[in-house]
Amino acid sequence: MIALVEPVIGNLIENHLQANGLLQPRSTKEELAAEAKVNLANAVGVPDWVKNMASSHIGELDHEKMQLDQIKNFIVVLRENVLS
């Protein structure tokens, strides 16, 4: 049974996510950078000197591109047919 649905289920999920706008970046570069700074500041196991150093470089990262890359990688996984 699984072998019968494996070739189509990934495409169905992708089409559903695409139709509902869920395969688009959800935040701007600035919003993502601000969120990353908050998450870094709240990281309990990270020393303050690391937080300070990393925080000063967060704005240089292209967070939107990283999000698009994650979406592309997710689509690749959805399209993979492990049973073929």
Side-chain angles (χ1 to χ4, degrees):
M1 183 67 168
I2 293 173
L4 296 175
V5 298
E6 180 77 16
V8 295
I9 195 73
N11 287 331
L12 289 174
I13 293 170
E14 179 185 354
N15 291 340
H16 172 76
L17 295 174
Q18 189 75 305
N20 289 286
L22 298 173
L23 295 179
Q24 304 300 325
R26 305 299 290 167
S27 304
T28 66
K29 180 179 179 178
E30 293 78 21
E31 290 170 332
L32 292 166
E35 183 180 336
K37 286 182 181 182
V38 168
N39 290 336
L40 180 62
N42 293 330
V44 177
V46 180
D48 287 340
W49 67 270
V50 174
K51 289 180 182 181
N52 293 334
M53 185 182 294
S55 184
S56 67
H57 295 285
I58 286 176
E60 299 169 16
L61 301 172
D62 190 344
H63 296 272
E64 194 169 359
K65 182 184 180 312
M66 288 190 297
Q67 192 174 19
L68 287 170
D69 288 343
Q70 290 173 336
I71 291 168
K72 287 178 189 175
N73 291 336
F74 177 63
I75 291 171
V76 167
V77 170
L78 283 176
R79 292 178 180 173
E80 185 174 344
N81 183 350
V82 296
L83 295 178
S84 64

